[in-house]
Amino acid sequence: MTTGWHWQRLAWREHTHTYYHLGLTSRLSSSSQLVRMQLQIYTVDAFSSRPFSGNPAAVVPLTQTLDEDTLQQVATELNLSETAYVKPIVGEGEGVPWITAARYSLRWFTPVQEIPLCGHATLATAHVLFHQLGNTSSQLEFETLSGVLVTRRDGQNIIMNFPTNVAEALTPEQEQQLTPLVQAATPGLRVHQVLLSHTLKYLLIRLHDSHSREELEALKPKYREMEDVHDGSLVMGVVVSVAGGGDTTYHAFSRFFAPLYGVDEDPVTGSAHTVLGPYWAAELGRKELNFRQCSKRGGDVRVNVQDDGRVDITGPATTVIQGHINV
């Protein structure tokens, strides 16, 4: 794959002869060298209203189907925790799809593989459709590997409606198998409880209540050991959480580690809150919760646990870069 980058913050123009179709173009440069395809790309900081915080995701609008190798190669080239590919689902004569369509297909790729669910890249995708491409719908539906996901506007925020992913107690065999992983993820800290979300293959580790937010922030997992002691058969991502204690703003804090996905630490993880939401709702006896994910970039996530087995996850996003990649 040959790649070529042309970046400019929030706006871009190419002064060449361009055969244009948003999301996928063929371009004849001034040197008459034909570039096969040109993909429009946005980099969005999700769960943040300002640049350089929250969780960055790449969003690539498509109007044609690309082969699996190209999708993965682009995601690897971009090297963000997730790259989202979004494609409108429209019939004949339904107008300009990016402006009028309300239903899209959506896929997420890490630098090493496709994943079944990604919250922050879904938030980033909805943000691009609403605020960069001018979609006029009040809500958007995305067909994904995790079913149909709905997003809707909420002022400057976006609300995502996801299925809950309840974490369950480990069997004795699972506990024996995963103890080395728990120890590698939380060296030197006391663990209160360990649960497993089978649907996402996320391990939820709750630290003892004697630990503080500051101790969670100072945690240094042994990433290479995490890769060595478990093969991914049960767990692909690890959520470490601690109660908010006396904090007046947040009900709980967390960090998310996924070296087996090629991402040592994910800055702000929407999918992790489909696990954290129902867990802390049951523990605290409340359905509306405010979380802080304590990575270096950090981000705030508002969660409302519904009675229908789903959860609303709310947050802002901001576009940082707009450009294209030639493939």
Side-chain angles (χ1 to χ4, degrees), residues 6-321:
H6 303 271
W7 293 113
Q8 181 178 352
R9 294 187 186 283
L10 304 180
W12 171 81
R13 296 291 185 271
E14 173 64 36
H15 299 293
T16 59
H17 302 292
T18 301
Y19 300 94
Y20 181 76
H21 197 108
L22 181 59
L24 189 63
T25 68
S26 296
R27 181 169 65 89
L28 189 63
S29 69
S30 55
S31 62
S32 298
Q33 180 180 2
L34 180 65
V35 178
R36 288 191 303 116
M37 289 184 292
Q38 185 179 91
L39 305 179
Q40 191 86 355
I41 295 179
Y42 300 86
T43 298
V44 176
D45 287 347
F47 295 109
S48 176
S49 57
R50 58 186 178 85
F52 317 126
S53 61
N55 198 353
V59 178
V60 182
L62 297 176
T63 55
Q64 296 184 26
T65 301
L66 300 183
D67 63 86
E68 300 292 310
D69 287 344
T70 299
L71 295 175
Q72 186 60 69
Q73 286 175 321
V74 170
T76 302
E77 180 78 9
L78 293 173
N79 201 33
L80 293 173
S81 58
E82 275 82 24
T83 296
Y85 296 97
V86 60
K87 186 173 181 289
I89 300 173
V90 295
E92 292 292 334
E94 291 191 23
V96 182
W98 303 112
I99 296 176
T100 60
R103 196 172 182 91
Y104 296 83
S105 65
L106 179 61
R107 300 175 70 180
W108 310 279
F109 285 75
T110 75
V112 298
Q113 68 182 86
E114 186 173 12
I115 57 174
L117 180 65
C118 181
H120 85 277
T122 303
L123 177 61
T125 300
H127 172 82
V128 166
L129 291 170
F130 282 140
H131 299 290
Q132 301 301 131
L133 301 182
N135 190 283
T136 57
S137 303
S138 59
Q139 73 174 34
L140 303 171
E141 295 182 356
F142 298 108
E143 293 186 1
T144 77
L145 290 177
S146 292
V148 176
L149 307 179
V150 178
T151 64
R152 59 187 189 274
R153 304 172 190 260
D154 180 32
Q156 294 302 308
N157 293 324
I158 292 172
I159 300 174
M160 302 180 291
N161 183 257
F162 283 4
T164 57
N165 291 285
V166 177
E168 301 173 347
L170 303 181
T171 66
E173 293 78 13
Q174 290 171 339
E175 184 174 354
Q176 182 179 10
Q177 182 178 351
L178 295 174
T179 291
L181 179 62
V182 174
Q183 293 172 340
T186 59
L189 298 182
R190 296 174 63 192
V191 172
H192 173 72
Q193 191 175 22
V194 180
L195 304 169
L196 177 61
S197 168
H198 296 274
T199 51
L200 292 180
K201 300 176 76 171
Y202 285 0
L203 193 68
L204 172 58
I205 303 174
R206 177 181 173 180
L207 299 179
H208 193 274
D209 289 348
S210 61
H211 288 303
S212 65
R213 168 183 177 173
E214 289 73 23
E215 288 174 298
L216 176 62
E217 291 174 336
L219 171 64
K220 295 182 178 179
K222 299 177 181 179
Y223 296 118
R224 305 293 73 81
E225 187 174 328
M226 290 174 68
E227 291 177 307
D228 292 339
V229 299
H230 185 61
D231 61 2
S233 58
L234 290 174
V235 174
M236 290 296 292
V238 177
V239 187
V240 181
S241 186
V242 67
D247 194 277
T248 58
T249 303
Y250 303 107
H251 296 102
F253 304 98
S254 70
R255 291 174 66 186
F256 182 82
F257 311 111
L260 288 173
Y261 272 135
V263 181
D264 283 349
E265 180 168 11
D266 196 43
V268 192
T269 315
S271 60
H273 289 82
T274 68
V275 179
L276 288 165
Y279 174 80
W280 284 110
E283 289 293 300
L284 301 177
R286 59 178 300 140
K287 295 181 179 181
E288 295 184 4
L289 299 152
N290 293 318
F291 292 96
R292 176 71 182 180
Q293 192 157 331
C294 298
S295 64
K296 288 185 178 180
R297 291 174 65 101
D300 294 345
V301 183
R302 190 167 78 243
V303 175
N304 190 335
V305 179
Q306 308 293 311
D307 294 327
D308 59 357
R310 299 186 70 85
V311 60
D312 281 347
I313 299 175
T314 303
T318 184
T319 303
V320 179
I321 299 172

